[in-house]
Amino acid sequence: MSSTALAASETTGIPAPASSAPSDAELAGAACAIGEEQFLPGDYYYCLGTQSYGLHHFGQAQKFFATAASWASKPAQYVLGIMALDGDHQPANRPLAAAWLALASERPQSDFAAASATLDASLAPAERKATDQLLARMRPTYGDATAAVRAEKRYEQGMARLAHLTGPGGHYCMAGITTPADPSMASTPEQCPPIQMMTKAIDQAAVKVFEGWSGHVTVGPLQQVNGMPATHNPG
């Protein structure tokens, strides 16, 4: 979430989630692993959005946030709402902001519910009508009924691929995270983390992505396939 979005949310009376605002330098330094895209694209594109924002590539950041939002990233939907509300490198648009915040807060006990409720209570009748019209167009792409189902399918497909790599001594190199320092080591995937370690890290990230969504079902521990050792080192 951008530091600008957090600060602006305070000036407009919209409560921000309880967290400290990172600096632009911290945002720009975000480590976004491209290999995560095949498991949790919402998390990956949200990272690219924050990174781009920190680098002051605001148009690119908004595109990445929108892509993340289509993969059920609630933080991305929240940031898009605050940016629309405050005219953050775009024309201010209260109905669009209200629509994004409504989507961001659709899960039970959402951290973004207070922000959505505060803005919703301040809408004029014409703004509320415009918000409802926007939501009718946006939900089929960004609402959990579509986006979260689509995101979980991608997650399950990625985890299934990992399951086929499982075996005694199996290792997995995720692009963007585990690149051997010495190119001559590219043919020795044992330098990569164990598959089970990577699986645990991906699953922990998935818990945050799908938090509060009643449709989420975890894949569970990986099972060994054919009892054969396996390694994977994407090029």
Side-chain angles (χ1 to χ4, degrees):
M1 185 179 305
S2 72
S3 54
T4 301
L6 277 173
S9 70
E10 295 170 357
T11 63
T12 53
I14 301 299
S19 62
S20 58
S23 67
D24 282 351
E26 289 172 325
L27 293 174
C32 306
I34 190 172
E36 188 185 23
E37 197 271 345
Q38 63 180 304
F39 301 97
L40 299 168
D43 204 35
Y44 171 65
Y45 287 110
Y46 177 73
C47 181
L48 289 182
T50 59
Q51 185 184 73
S52 298
Y53 197 102
L55 292 169
H56 297 177
H57 300 159
F58 302 115
Q60 189 176 44
Q62 191 170 26
K63 291 179 181 178
F64 283 136
F65 285 137
T67 300
S70 73
W71 288 101
S73 171
K74 295 309 177 187
Q77 293 170 2
Y78 171 79
V79 170
L80 287 167
I82 296 301
M83 291 178 73
L85 179 64
D86 295 309
D88 188 350
H89 301 93
Q90 63 186 289
N93 188 326
R94 282 166 55 85
L96 179 60
W100 277 125
L101 292 184
L103 290 165
S105 62
E106 68 178 321
R107 296 176 189 173
Q109 300 179 333
S110 168
D111 290 340
F112 309 119
S116 180
T118 299
L119 179 56
D120 186 71
S122 72
L123 295 177
E127 291 177 324
R128 189 177 303 280
K129 181 178 179 180
T131 298
D132 290 342
Q133 292 172 340
L134 283 167
L135 275 171
R137 296 200 298 268
M138 294 166 70
R139 277 200 177 101
T141 299
Y142 303 104
D144 271 349
T146 300
V149 172
R150 178 169 167 251
E152 176 145 79
K153 183 176 180 180
R154 171 68 69 88
Y155 164 70
E156 290 177 344
Q157 289 172 339
M159 297 302 279
R161 285 192 293 271
L162 273 187
H164 286 289
L165 297 173
T166 304
H171 294 73
Y172 180 76
C173 292
M174 178 179 284
I177 292 182
T178 52
T179 301
D182 184 350
S184 67
M185 296 164 57
S187 60
T188 58
E190 291 78 9
Q191 298 294 326
C192 302
I195 289 178
Q196 293 293 346
M197 181 184 296
M198 292 301 299
T199 300
K200 182 178 180 180
I202 296 167
D203 212 29
Q204 287 175 339
V207 169
K208 296 180 180 179
V209 170
F210 297 111
E211 183 178 8
W213 179 46
S214 60
H216 177 55
V217 179
T218 58
V219 170
L222 292 179
Q223 300 296 317
Q224 184 172 326
V225 178
N226 296 329
M228 297 295 292
T231 55
H232 181 61
N233 186 22

